[in-house]
Amino acid sequence: MHAYEYQQMRSAELIRRAERERLAREVARDSRAARREAARRTAESESHSSRSRRLRFPRTA
C-alpha cells in the first residue's frame, strides 16, 4: 500500500508541475504577443509621420 500512495503523490506532483509550466509558457507567449503588438503600433505611427525620410540636401561627391 505504501508504494501505491507514493505513486499517487508523485503523479499529483507531476500534474501540478505540468500545470505550472503550462501557465508559465502561456504568460511568456502573451507577453511576447503584447510586445509585438506594441512594436507594430509604434511602427505604424512612425510610418505615417509627416516628416520625410529623404535628406534635405543631396550628398556631396
Side-chain angles (χ1 to χ4, degrees):
M1 202 60 181
H2 180 71
Y4 176 75
E5 291 171 356
Y6 178 76
Q7 188 273 335
Q8 290 291 86
M9 288 188 304
R10 176 82 174 134
S11 177
E13 175 59 31
L14 288 174
I15 291 169
R16 286 191 297 271
R17 183 185 299 177
E19 178 67 14
R20 285 192 307 265
E21 290 175 3
R22 185 188 66 77
L23 288 173
R25 285 191 307 269
E26 186 176 329
V27 166
R29 184 177 57 241
D30 290 346
S31 65
R32 280 193 306 269
R35 282 195 306 269
R36 280 194 304 268
E37 180 65 22
R40 186 184 63 79
R41 283 192 198 134
T42 302
E44 282 180 358
S45 67
E46 288 177 357
S47 67
H48 297 297
S49 65
S50 62
R51 188 174 69 115
S52 174
R53 294 215 181 259
R54 299 180 84 182
L55 294 174
R56 181 176 253 179
F57 302 106
R59 294 180 187 235
T60 58

